[in-house]
Amino acid sequence: STIKSIGEKAFSGCAGLKRINLVDGITEIGANAFEKTALTKVTIPSTLKSLSNGLFSGCASLETIEFAANGELETVGDNVFADCSALKEVLFPEGVTSLGANVFSGDTSSLKHVYIPGSVIVDGTNFKYNFITNNAYVEKITVGEGITDIAGYNSGNKQYGFVEGCTNLKEVVLPSTLTCLSINAFKGCVNLTTVYYNGTEREEGVVKLPEGVTTIESGAFSGCESVKSIVLPAGITEIGTSAFAGCANLESIYTAGEQAKVGTVKWPNVIKDIPASVVEGCAKITEFALPENVENLGERFINGTGITEFTVPGTIESLNIGVFDGNMSLKKVTLEKGLGSLYIPGEYESPKAGTFSGCENLETIVINADLTVIPALTFRYCHNLKTVNIPDTVTEIGSNAFDECTS
């Protein structure tokens, strides 16, 4: 063919256009060139380097996209397949380094699988992290070897995750090269059941992270209601706040090489600080096995779980405000010897909650620690609190410390 380029909107709105032969030699196709046509199948020629913005947007009959072998494609623009409601699968070829924003926005109700090649440069410029965020249809995403981080994007004051809000997503295949899951990576993927990586077998209901992952950032799996078990890599060193919050059917978290125990979080020994709200709302968790020499417990870290008894070890110097605030499942808490203090408000602070305030089903507090102060509001609104042994070391009980402890 002598055709080297096709201009912007060249065939836009040609509702009767069902077939087109894009031959090798074409190097440029303008934005929206085939939008709202009746194309059913397109093969991208090997000489084309870019899929321009909105190229096939609104092509409701487009079912198949193929890419010629050994192609030169490098860039995928914004909204390329927006409202392609018949499109089933897109396997972007290796060599693509840039993926645009909202590539699959609108009605893509037939979309089953998207492959992201390992050649994509994940840097916020070449990879628009929101290229598939909040897609309500895609069922499976595969990420190619070579990618080390799957990150989110900032919009105003909010940071969106890699596939955040993909409510029909069921399965993700990760690369073995991955080292980090960034903020809100899978947040709100309510039907996600299975995550695994190249070289491992798929297990329904299980999230298996690659061995090289060291960091799981805040909210990475929050709201993944269908996940049952999470297997952490042995080299994990950092887990962020609310990382697994709201996983309503989560039954176990453990490190690769260990045995899973139903109902139990086996926290990795290397992480001494337990993040705030890390399993908040995980109602099927009934035990949280702390690491040796744990140093800090985050606010509300086990609220909304099924844990009824908890022991605070003496390796923790102080319990911060709100650690158990509003926990409705706890019935008994033991404070072991070595714990230095509960949260004590500063002179000009007016805290709204104490360490155990609002624990309405808490019945028993066993204090083995040599506390000197029971701070203000500590047990406020613990309506069912029946037994507290106050050690001889206590010299001060703060205002409203036992306010509304009606039992």
Side-chain angles (χ1 to χ4, degrees):
S1 172
T2 59
I3 297 175
K4 302 298 181 185
S5 67
I6 298 173
E8 293 184 8
K9 296 191 174 184
F11 299 94
S12 176
C14 294
L17 181 61
K18 297 181 179 181
R19 296 176 60 188
I20 192 165
N21 184 21
L22 299 176
V23 297
D24 285 348
I26 297 174
T27 59
E28 182 180 357
I29 302 177
N32 304 96
F34 300 108
E35 68 176 354
K36 297 180 181 179
T37 61
L39 291 170
T40 59
K41 180 180 178 180
V42 174
T43 299
I44 304 301
S46 64
T47 50
L48 190 65
K49 293 186 177 181
S50 176
L51 300 184
S52 299
N53 293 345
L55 184 58
F56 299 104
S57 62
C59 293
S61 298
L62 184 61
E63 296 181 359
T64 306
I65 286 286
E66 295 180 348
F67 298 89
N70 303 313
E72 300 177 12
L73 188 67
E74 296 178 351
T75 302
V76 177
D78 301 343
N79 301 296
V80 172
F81 300 111
D83 291 308
C84 291
S85 55
L87 190 61
K88 297 179 174 64
E89 181 179 61
V90 178
L91 308 178
F92 292 110
E94 294 296 336
V96 170
T97 59
S98 177
L99 292 173
N102 302 310
V103 173
F104 300 98
S105 61
D107 182 0
T108 55
S109 50
S110 297
L111 190 62
K112 303 296 183 184
H113 182 210
V114 173
Y115 175 78
I116 301 168
S119 53
V120 170
I121 301 171
V122 183
D123 63 357
T125 301
N126 289 294
F127 182 58
K128 303 290 183 60
Y129 305 128
N130 58 331
F131 91 105
I132 200 168
T133 301
N134 292 320
N135 183 285
Y137 307 106
V138 65
E139 295 184 5
K140 179 179 178 180
I141 292 176
T142 302
V143 183
E145 288 293 308
I147 291 178
T148 59
D149 184 9
I150 50 175
Y153 74 102
N154 292 310
S155 177
N157 295 324
K158 182 172 174 57
Q159 182 157 355
Y160 292 87
F162 173 62
V163 291
E164 179 178 348
C166 290
T167 52
N168 200 43
L169 184 64
K170 298 176 174 62
E171 181 176 327
V172 175
V173 184
L174 297 173
S176 63
T177 51
L178 196 70
T179 60
C180 177
L181 288 178
S182 291
I183 292 176
N184 299 335
F186 300 104
K187 182 179 180 180
C189 295
V190 294
N191 284 299
L192 181 64
T193 61
T194 307
V195 179
Y196 60 108
Y197 59 97
N198 289 331
T200 60
E201 294 184 2
R202 181 187 187 280
E203 292 183 54
E204 184 69 22
V206 179
V207 170
K208 292 187 289 187
L209 299 178
E211 296 174 3
V213 170
T214 59
T215 303
I216 300 172
E217 294 188 353
S218 299
F221 290 96
S222 61
C224 292
E225 298 177 359
S226 301
V227 169
K228 293 184 178 180
S229 185
I230 295 175
V231 185
L232 301 173
I236 193 76
T237 59
E238 181 181 350
I239 297 176
T241 59
S242 304
F244 313 110
C247 294
N249 287 293
L250 184 65
E251 296 177 347
S252 64
I253 298 176
Y254 62 101
T255 302
E258 296 181 346
Q259 284 292 113
K261 182 181 177 182
V262 174
T264 300
V265 173
K266 294 183 178 181
W267 197 256
N269 275 327
V270 71
I271 303 176
K272 305 300 183 184
D273 289 351
I274 310 302
S277 301
V278 67
V279 291
E280 184 172 2
C282 298
K284 293 188 176 182
I285 296 298
T286 57
E287 180 183 358
F288 196 113
L290 295 171
E292 299 173 4
N293 300 317
V294 61
E295 296 175 355
N296 184 62
L297 301 179
E299 294 181 19
R300 302 175 63 86
F301 77 106
I302 56 170
N303 279 29
T305 66
I307 296 172
T308 58
E309 296 190 10
F310 192 83
T311 298
V312 179
T315 56
I316 295 173
E317 293 184 5
S318 176
L319 280 182
N320 296 322
I321 187 173
V323 172
F324 301 104
D325 170 39
N327 190 303
M328 303 299 286
S329 61
L330 281 173
K331 293 184 177 181
K332 179 180 179 181
V333 174
T334 300
L335 306 179
E336 290 291 14
K337 194 174 184 65
L339 175 66
S341 66
L342 305 180
Y343 180 81
I344 301 176
E347 182 179 356
Y348 301 105
E349 288 185 90
S350 298
K352 296 180 181 179
T355 304
F356 296 97
S357 60
C359 294
E360 295 187 6
N361 292 303
L362 185 63
E363 298 177 356
T364 304
I365 292 285
V366 178
I367 304 177
N368 297 325
D370 295 329
L371 300 179
T372 59
V373 177
I374 306 295
L377 305 176
T378 296
F379 299 107
R380 192 179 196 186
Y381 302 133
C382 294
H383 298 308
N384 284 293
L385 186 61
K386 297 177 174 63
T387 306
V388 181
N389 67 296
I390 299 178
D392 295 339
T393 53
V394 172
T395 60
E396 179 184 345
I397 297 177
S399 59
N400 301 109
F402 292 93
D403 184 29
E404 296 291 335
C405 292
T406 53
S407 295

